[in-house]
PDB file of all heavy atoms in Angstrom:
ATOM      1  N   ARG A 179     -35.315  38.791 -36.746  1.00 97.00           N
ATOM      2  CA  ARG A 179     -33.932  38.328 -36.751  1.00 97.00           C
ATOM      3  C   ARG A 179     -33.531  37.756 -35.397  1.00 97.00           C
ATOM      4  O   ARG A 179     -34.167  38.038 -34.377  1.00 97.00           O
ATOM      5  CB  ARG A 179     -32.986  39.454 -37.177  1.00 97.00           C
ATOM      6  CG  ARG A 179     -32.965  40.635 -36.253  1.00 97.00           C
ATOM      7  CD  ARG A 179     -32.408  41.875 -36.967  1.00 97.00           C
ATOM      8  NE  ARG A 179     -32.679  43.050 -36.160  1.00 97.00           N
ATOM      9  CZ  ARG A 179     -31.801  43.601 -35.324  1.00 97.00           C
ATOM     10  NH1 ARG A 179     -30.585  43.093 -35.193  1.00 97.00           N
ATOM     11  NH2 ARG A 179     -32.127  44.656 -34.610  1.00 97.00           N
ATOM     12  N   VAL A 180     -32.458  36.963 -35.450  1.00 98.00           N
ATOM     13  CA  VAL A 180     -31.954  36.285 -34.255  1.00 98.00           C
ATOM     14  C   VAL A 180     -30.495  36.680 -34.073  1.00 98.00           C
ATOM     15  O   VAL A 180     -29.680  36.505 -34.976  1.00 98.00           O
ATOM     16  CB  VAL A 180     -32.080  34.746 -34.400  1.00 98.00           C
ATOM     17  CG1 VAL A 180     -31.398  34.043 -33.233  1.00 98.00           C
ATOM     18  CG2 VAL A 180     -33.541  34.335 -34.513  1.00 98.00           C
ATOM     19  N   THR A 181     -30.201  37.241 -32.897  1.00 98.00           N
ATOM     20  CA  THR A 181     -28.826  37.647 -32.577  1.00 98.00           C
ATOM     21  C   THR A 181     -28.302  36.781 -31.436  1.00 98.00           C
ATOM     22  O   THR A 181     -29.000  36.611 -30.424  1.00 98.00           O
ATOM     23  CB  THR A 181     -28.799  39.127 -32.125  1.00 98.00           C
ATOM     24  OG1 THR A 181     -29.413  39.929 -33.137  1.00 98.00           O
ATOM     25  CG2 THR A 181     -27.370  39.601 -31.885  1.00 98.00           C
ATOM     26  N   LEU A 182     -27.102  36.244 -31.600  1.00 98.00           N
ATOM     27  CA  LEU A 182     -26.486  35.466 -30.518  1.00 98.00           C
ATOM     28  C   LEU A 182     -25.541  36.374 -29.744  1.00 98.00           C
ATOM     29  O   LEU A 182     -24.763  37.119 -30.331  1.00 98.00           O
ATOM     30  CB  LEU A 182     -25.674  34.299 -31.082  1.00 98.00           C
ATOM     31  CG  LEU A 182     -26.357  33.401 -32.100  1.00 98.00           C
ATOM     32  CD1 LEU A 182     -25.401  32.300 -32.554  1.00 98.00           C
ATOM     33  CD2 LEU A 182     -27.599  32.790 -31.488  1.00 98.00           C
ATOM     34  N   ILE A 183     -25.617  36.301 -28.419  1.00 98.00           N
ATOM     35  CA  ILE A 183     -24.702  37.082 -27.583  1.00 98.00           C
ATOM     36  C   ILE A 183     -24.005  36.137 -26.613  1.00 98.00           C
ATOM     37  O   ILE A 183     -24.648  35.285 -25.990  1.00 98.00           O
ATOM     38  CB  ILE A 183     -25.445  38.177 -26.792  1.00 98.00           C
ATOM     39  CG1 ILE A 183     -26.030  39.222 -27.760  1.00 98.00           C
ATOM     40  CG2 ILE A 183     -24.514  38.851 -25.788  1.00 98.00           C
ATOM     41  CD1 ILE A 183     -26.716  40.386 -27.062  1.00 98.00           C
ATOM     42  N   SER A 184     -22.686  36.305 -26.494  1.00 98.00           N
ATOM     43  CA  SER A 184     -21.936  35.433 -25.598  1.00 98.00           C
ATOM     44  C   SER A 184     -20.864  36.229 -24.867  1.00 98.00           C
ATOM     45  O   SER A 184     -20.130  37.001 -25.483  1.00 98.00           O
ATOM     46  CB  SER A 184     -21.272  34.315 -26.414  1.00 98.00           C
ATOM     47  OG  SER A 184     -20.641  33.401 -25.558  1.00 98.00           O
ATOM     48  N   MET A 185     -20.783  36.051 -23.562  1.00 97.00           N
ATOM     49  CA  MET A 185     -19.635  36.594 -22.831  1.00 97.00           C
ATOM     50  C   MET A 185     -18.577  35.511 -22.804  1.00 97.00           C
ATOM     51  O   MET A 185     -18.711  34.514 -22.086  1.00 97.00           O
ATOM     52  CB  MET A 185     -20.019  36.981 -21.406  1.00 97.00           C
ATOM     53  CG  MET A 185     -18.853  37.611 -20.651  1.00 97.00           C
ATOM     54  SD  MET A 185     -19.263  38.026 -18.952  1.00 97.00           S
ATOM     55  CE  MET A 185     -18.379  36.746 -18.081  1.00 97.00           C
ATOM     56  N   THR A 186     -17.562  35.685 -23.615  1.00 96.00           N
ATOM     57  CA  THR A 186     -16.576  34.614 -23.778  1.00 96.00           C
ATOM     58  C   THR A 186     -15.315  35.219 -24.390  1.00 96.00           C
ATOM     59  O   THR A 186     -15.402  36.268 -25.039  1.00 96.00           O
ATOM     60  CB  THR A 186     -17.171  33.501 -24.690  1.00 96.00           C
ATOM     61  OG1 THR A 186     -16.330  32.365 -24.665  1.00 96.00           O
ATOM     62  CG2 THR A 186     -17.343  33.960 -26.125  1.00 96.00           C
ATOM     63  N   PRO A 187     -14.153  34.605 -24.208  1.00 94.00           N
ATOM     64  CA  PRO A 187     -12.964  35.136 -24.879  1.00 94.00           C
ATOM     65  C   PRO A 187     -13.133  35.085 -26.402  1.00 94.00           C
ATOM     66  O   PRO A 187     -13.831  34.217 -26.925  1.00 94.00           O
ATOM     67  CB  PRO A 187     -11.852  34.175 -24.427  1.00 94.00           C
ATOM     68  CG  PRO A 187     -12.359  33.538 -23.196  1.00 94.00           C
ATOM     69  CD  PRO A 187     -13.842  33.476 -23.329  1.00 94.00           C
ATOM     70  N   GLU A 188     -12.471  36.010 -27.074  1.00 94.00           N
ATOM     71  CA  GLU A 188     -12.562  36.044 -28.539  1.00 94.00           C
ATOM     72  C   GLU A 188     -12.140  34.729 -29.170  1.00 94.00           C
ATOM     73  O   GLU A 188     -12.598  34.377 -30.260  1.00 94.00           O
ATOM     74  CB  GLU A 188     -11.636  37.154 -29.065  1.00 94.00           C
ATOM     75  CG  GLU A 188     -12.345  38.456 -29.308  1.00 94.00           C
ATOM     76  CD  GLU A 188     -11.434  39.427 -30.036  1.00 94.00           C
ATOM     77  OE1 GLU A 188     -11.404  39.409 -31.273  1.00 94.00           O
ATOM     78  OE2 GLU A 188     -10.765  40.191 -29.331  1.00 94.00           O
ATOM     79  N   SER A 189     -11.273  33.998 -28.459  1.00 91.00           N
ATOM     80  CA  SER A 189     -10.788  32.730 -29.003  1.00 91.00           C
ATOM     81  C   SER A 189     -11.911  31.704 -29.145  1.00 91.00           C
ATOM     82  O   SER A 189     -11.727  30.663 -29.786  1.00 91.00           O
ATOM     83  CB  SER A 189      -9.688  32.166 -28.105  1.00 91.00           C
ATOM     84  OG  SER A 189     -10.169  32.038 -26.785  1.00 91.00           O
ATOM     85  N   SER A 190     -13.081  31.970 -28.558  1.00 91.00           N
ATOM     86  CA  SER A 190     -14.204  31.026 -28.670  1.00 91.00           C
ATOM     87  C   SER A 190     -15.042  31.277 -29.913  1.00 91.00           C
ATOM     88  O   SER A 190     -16.129  30.705 -30.047  1.00 91.00           O
ATOM     89  CB  SER A 190     -15.111  31.126 -27.452  1.00 91.00           C
ATOM     90  OG  SER A 190     -14.408  30.835 -26.286  1.00 91.00           O
ATOM     91  N   ALA A 191     -14.543  32.119 -30.821  1.00 92.00           N
ATOM     92  CA  ALA A 191     -15.349  32.474 -31.993  1.00 92.00           C
ATOM     93  C   ALA A 191     -15.780  31.242 -32.785  1.00 92.00           C
ATOM     94  O   ALA A 191     -16.874  31.213 -33.351  1.00 92.00           O
ATOM     95  CB  ALA A 191     -14.561  33.430 -32.888  1.00 92.00           C
ATOM     96  N   GLU A 192     -14.933  30.175 -32.769  1.00 92.00           N
ATOM     97  CA  GLU A 192     -15.284  28.965 -33.541  1.00 92.00           C
ATOM     98  C   GLU A 192     -16.569  28.321 -33.028  1.00 92.00           C
ATOM     99  O   GLU A 192     -17.397  27.854 -33.806  1.00 92.00           O
ATOM    100  CB  GLU A 192     -14.127  27.959 -33.486  1.00 92.00           C
ATOM    101  CG  GLU A 192     -13.085  28.168 -34.560  1.00 92.00           C
ATOM    102  CD  GLU A 192     -13.684  28.507 -35.930  1.00 92.00           C
ATOM    103  OE1 GLU A 192     -14.442  27.663 -36.453  1.00 92.00           O
ATOM    104  OE2 GLU A 192     -13.431  29.606 -36.463  1.00 92.00           O
ATOM    105  N   THR A 193     -16.696  28.295 -31.696  1.00 93.00           N
ATOM    106  CA  THR A 193     -17.920  27.714 -31.119  1.00 93.00           C
ATOM    107  C   THR A 193     -19.130  28.561 -31.496  1.00 93.00           C
ATOM    108  O   THR A 193     -20.213  28.038 -31.778  1.00 93.00           O
ATOM    109  CB  THR A 193     -17.782  27.611 -29.583  1.00 93.00           C
ATOM    110  OG1 THR A 193     -16.544  26.991 -29.290  1.00 93.00           O
ATOM    111  CG2 THR A 193     -18.907  26.803 -28.976  1.00 93.00           C
ATOM    112  N   LEU A 194     -18.931  29.877 -31.517  1.00 95.00           N
ATOM    113  CA  LEU A 194     -20.023  30.772 -31.934  1.00 95.00           C
ATOM    114  C   LEU A 194     -20.370  30.537 -33.401  1.00 95.00           C
ATOM    115  O   LEU A 194     -21.542  30.582 -33.797  1.00 95.00           O
ATOM    116  CB  LEU A 194     -19.599  32.238 -31.732  1.00 95.00           C
ATOM    117  CG  LEU A 194     -19.911  32.910 -30.393  1.00 95.00           C
ATOM    118  CD1 LEU A 194     -21.351  33.363 -30.351  1.00 95.00           C
ATOM    119  CD2 LEU A 194     -19.647  31.986 -29.214  1.00 95.00           C
ATOM    120  N   ARG A 195     -19.338  30.265 -34.201  1.00 95.00           N
ATOM    121  CA  ARG A 195     -19.553  30.001 -35.626  1.00 95.00           C
ATOM    122  C   ARG A 195     -20.413  28.740 -35.785  1.00 95.00           C
ATOM    123  O   ARG A 195     -21.289  28.669 -36.630  1.00 95.00           O
ATOM    124  CB  ARG A 195     -18.176  29.836 -36.291  1.00 95.00           C
ATOM    125  CG  ARG A 195     -18.149  29.873 -37.775  1.00 95.00           C
ATOM    126  CD  ARG A 195     -18.476  31.203 -38.399  1.00 95.00           C
ATOM    127  NE  ARG A 195     -17.438  32.217 -38.302  1.00 95.00           N
ATOM    128  CZ  ARG A 195     -17.630  33.488 -38.694  1.00 95.00           C
ATOM    129  NH1 ARG A 195     -18.797  33.880 -39.201  1.00 95.00           N
ATOM    130  NH2 ARG A 195     -16.676  34.371 -38.578  1.00 95.00           N
ATOM    131  N   GLU A 196     -20.160  27.754 -34.932  1.00 93.00           N
ATOM    132  CA  GLU A 196     -20.989  26.534 -34.965  1.00 93.00           C
ATOM    133  C   GLU A 196     -22.453  26.855 -34.658  1.00 93.00           C
ATOM    134  O   GLU A 196     -23.359  26.302 -35.271  1.00 93.00           O
ATOM    135  CB  GLU A 196     -20.495  25.546 -33.898  1.00 93.00           C
ATOM    136  CG  GLU A 196     -19.309  24.691 -34.318  1.00 93.00           C
ATOM    137  CD  GLU A 196     -18.812  23.867 -33.140  1.00 93.00           C
ATOM    138  OE1 GLU A 196     -19.657  23.244 -32.445  1.00 93.00           O
ATOM    139  OE2 GLU A 196     -17.593  23.878 -32.915  1.00 93.00           O
ATOM    140  N   ALA A 197     -22.647  27.754 -33.696  1.00 95.00           N
ATOM    141  CA  ALA A 197     -24.023  28.128 -33.356  1.00 95.00           C
ATOM    142  C   ALA A 197     -24.662  28.877 -34.531  1.00 95.00           C
ATOM    143  O   ALA A 197     -25.842  28.676 -34.841  1.00 95.00           O
ATOM    144  CB  ALA A 197     -24.032  28.992 -32.094  1.00 95.00           C
ATOM    145  N   LEU A 198     -23.875  29.711 -35.190  1.00 97.00           N
ATOM    146  CA  LEU A 198     -24.404  30.441 -36.357  1.00 97.00           C
ATOM    147  C   LEU A 198     -24.752  29.475 -37.488  1.00 97.00           C
ATOM    148  O   LEU A 198     -25.669  29.733 -38.265  1.00 97.00           O
ATOM    149  CB  LEU A 198     -23.376  31.470 -36.849  1.00 97.00           C
ATOM    150  CG  LEU A 198     -23.253  32.751 -36.018  1.00 97.00           C
ATOM    151  CD1 LEU A 198     -22.063  33.576 -36.493  1.00 97.00           C
ATOM    152  CD2 LEU A 198     -24.542  33.574 -36.070  1.00 97.00           C
ATOM    153  N   ALA A 199     -24.023  28.348 -37.545  1.00 97.00           N
ATOM    154  CA  ALA A 199     -24.313  27.364 -38.587  1.00 97.00           C
ATOM    155  C   ALA A 199     -25.673  26.707 -38.349  1.00 97.00           C
ATOM    156  O   ALA A 199     -26.343  26.274 -39.281  1.00 97.00           O
ATOM    157  CB  ALA A 199     -23.213  26.308 -38.623  1.00 97.00           C
ATOM    158  N   MET A 200     -26.077  26.644 -37.091  1.00 96.00           N
ATOM    159  CA  MET A 200     -27.399  26.086 -36.774  1.00 96.00           C
ATOM    160  C   MET A 200     -28.492  27.060 -37.203  1.00 96.00           C
ATOM    161  O   MET A 200     -29.602  26.667 -37.577  1.00 96.00           O
ATOM    162  CB  MET A 200     -27.452  25.836 -35.258  1.00 96.00           C
ATOM    163  CG  MET A 200     -28.494  24.869 -34.793  1.00 96.00           C
ATOM    164  SD  MET A 200     -28.308  24.612 -33.010  1.00 96.00           S
ATOM    165  CE  MET A 200     -30.006  24.809 -32.506  1.00 96.00           C
ATOM    166  N   GLY A 201     -28.170  28.340 -37.177  1.00 95.00           N
ATOM    167  CA  GLY A 201     -29.127  29.383 -37.558  1.00 95.00           C
ATOM    168  C   GLY A 201     -28.759  30.668 -36.861  1.00 95.00           C
ATOM    169  O   GLY A 201     -27.740  30.750 -36.189  1.00 95.00           O
ATOM    170  N   GLY A 202     -29.576  31.666 -37.001  1.00 95.00           N
ATOM    171  CA  GLY A 202     -29.249  32.959 -36.411  1.00 95.00           C
ATOM    172  C   GLY A 202     -28.554  33.829 -37.428  1.00 95.00           C
ATOM    173  O   GLY A 202     -27.956  33.318 -38.378  1.00 95.00           O
ATOM    174  N   ASP A 203     -28.657  35.134 -37.222  1.00 97.00           N
ATOM    175  CA  ASP A 203     -28.189  36.064 -38.243  1.00 97.00           C
ATOM    176  C   ASP A 203     -26.816  36.635 -37.956  1.00 97.00           C
ATOM    177  O   ASP A 203     -26.063  36.892 -38.877  1.00 97.00           O
ATOM    178  CB  ASP A 203     -29.214  37.202 -38.379  1.00 97.00           C
ATOM    179  CG  ASP A 203     -30.557  36.655 -38.801  1.00 97.00           C
ATOM    180  OD1 ASP A 203     -30.631  36.123 -39.924  1.00 97.00           O
ATOM    181  OD2 ASP A 203     -31.521  36.714 -38.006  1.00 97.00           O
ATOM    182  N   GLU A 204     -26.517  36.866 -36.697  1.00 97.00           N
ATOM    183  CA  GLU A 204     -25.197  37.396 -36.364  1.00 97.00           C
ATOM    184  C   GLU A 204     -24.886  37.049 -34.912  1.00 97.00           C
ATOM    185  O   GLU A 204     -25.767  36.648 -34.152  1.00 97.00           O
ATOM    186  CB  GLU A 204     -25.147  38.914 -36.550  1.00 97.00           C
ATOM    187  CG  GLU A 204     -26.083  39.663 -35.641  1.00 97.00           C
ATOM    188  CD  GLU A 204     -25.855  41.171 -35.703  1.00 97.00           C
ATOM    189  OE1 GLU A 204     -24.687  41.582 -35.833  1.00 97.00           O
ATOM    190  OE2 GLU A 204     -26.841  41.907 -35.607  1.00 97.00           O
ATOM    191  N   ALA A 205     -23.618  37.208 -34.561  1.00 98.00           N
ATOM    192  CA  ALA A 205     -23.211  36.916 -33.192  1.00 98.00           C
ATOM    193  C   ALA A 205     -22.429  38.093 -32.630  1.00 98.00           C
ATOM    194  O   ALA A 205     -21.773  38.827 -33.375  1.00 98.00           O
ATOM    195  CB  ALA A 205     -22.364  35.650 -33.143  1.00 98.00           C
ATOM    196  N   VAL A 206     -22.547  38.254 -31.326  1.00 98.00           N
ATOM    197  CA  VAL A 206     -21.827  39.319 -30.635  1.00 98.00           C
ATOM    198  C   VAL A 206     -21.054  38.675 -29.485  1.00 98.00           C
ATOM    199  O   VAL A 206     -21.640  37.972 -28.655  1.00 98.00           O
ATOM    200  CB  VAL A 206     -22.804  40.380 -30.083  1.00 98.00           C
ATOM    201  CG1 VAL A 206     -22.059  41.409 -29.255  1.00 98.00           C
ATOM    202  CG2 VAL A 206     -23.572  41.046 -31.215  1.00 98.00           C
ATOM    203  N   ILE A 207     -19.733  38.897 -29.474  1.00 98.00           N
ATOM    204  CA  ILE A 207     -18.906  38.391 -28.382  1.00 98.00           C
ATOM    205  C   ILE A 207     -18.607  39.547 -27.428  1.00 98.00           C
ATOM    206  O   ILE A 207     -18.178  40.615 -27.859  1.00 98.00           O
ATOM    207  CB  ILE A 207     -17.585  37.794 -28.917  1.00 98.00           C
ATOM    208  CG1 ILE A 207     -17.875  36.483 -29.666  1.00 98.00           C
ATOM    209  CG2 ILE A 207     -16.589  37.549 -27.791  1.00 98.00           C
ATOM    210  CD1 ILE A 207     -16.629  35.836 -30.272  1.00 98.00           C
ATOM    211  N   LEU A 208     -18.864  39.328 -26.159  1.00 98.00           N
ATOM    212  CA  LEU A 208     -18.546  40.325 -25.136  1.00 98.00           C
ATOM    213  C   LEU A 208     -17.262  39.845 -24.466  1.00 98.00           C
ATOM    214  O   LEU A 208     -17.278  38.831 -23.759  1.00 98.00           O
ATOM    215  CB  LEU A 208     -19.684  40.444 -24.124  1.00 98.00           C
ATOM    216  CG  LEU A 208     -21.091  40.548 -24.735  1.00 98.00           C
ATOM    217  CD1 LEU A 208     -22.150  40.559 -23.636  1.00 98.00           C
ATOM    218  CD2 LEU A 208     -21.215  41.794 -25.611  1.00 98.00           C
ATOM    219  N   SER A 209     -16.179  40.514 -24.768  1.00 97.00           N
ATOM    220  CA  SER A 209     -14.882  40.008 -24.324  1.00 97.00           C
ATOM    221  C   SER A 209     -14.016  41.137 -23.800  1.00 97.00           C
ATOM    222  O   SER A 209     -13.850  42.162 -24.452  1.00 97.00           O
ATOM    223  CB  SER A 209     -14.181  39.318 -25.505  1.00 97.00           C
ATOM    224  OG  SER A 209     -12.876  38.951 -25.136  1.00 97.00           O
ATOM    225  N   ASP A 210     -13.507  40.945 -22.594  1.00 96.00           N
ATOM    226  CA  ASP A 210     -12.629  41.947 -21.989  1.00 96.00           C
ATOM    227  C   ASP A 210     -11.953  41.273 -20.809  1.00 96.00           C
ATOM    228  O   ASP A 210     -12.597  40.492 -20.090  1.00 96.00           O
ATOM    229  CB  ASP A 210     -13.478  43.134 -21.492  1.00 96.00           C
ATOM    230  CG  ASP A 210     -12.640  44.380 -21.263  1.00 96.00           C
ATOM    231  OD1 ASP A 210     -11.623  44.290 -20.534  1.00 96.00           O
ATOM    232  OD2 ASP A 210     -12.997  45.436 -21.814  1.00 96.00           O
ATOM    233  N   ARG A 211     -10.676  41.565 -20.606  1.00 95.00           N
ATOM    234  CA  ARG A 211      -9.997  40.975 -19.442  1.00 95.00           C
ATOM    235  C   ARG A 211     -10.710  41.342 -18.150  1.00 95.00           C
ATOM    236  O   ARG A 211     -10.690  40.600 -17.180  1.00 95.00           O
ATOM    237  CB  ARG A 211      -8.547  41.481 -19.376  1.00 95.00           C
ATOM    238  CG  ARG A 211      -7.695  40.978 -20.522  1.00 95.00           C
ATOM    239  CD  ARG A 211      -6.310  41.584 -20.444  1.00 95.00           C
ATOM    240  NE  ARG A 211      -5.470  40.909 -19.485  1.00 95.00           N
ATOM    241  CZ  ARG A 211      -4.734  39.833 -19.763  1.00 95.00           C
ATOM    242  NH1 ARG A 211      -4.743  39.343 -20.978  1.00 95.00           N
ATOM    243  NH2 ARG A 211      -3.997  39.264 -18.854  1.00 95.00           N
TER     244      ARG A 211
END
Side-chain angles (χ1 to χ4, degrees):
Chain A
R179 63 200 167 97
V180 173
T181 305
L182 310 180
I183 294 183
S184 185
M185 183 182 106
T186 190
E188 264 189 88
S189 56
S190 300
E192 273 319 299
T193 311
L194 269 280
R195 194 68 74 187
E196 277 174 47
L198 283 171
M200 200 176 132
D203 299 295
E204 63 171 324
V206 175
I207 290 178
L208 313 176
S209 174
D210 198 307
R211 293 176 80 87

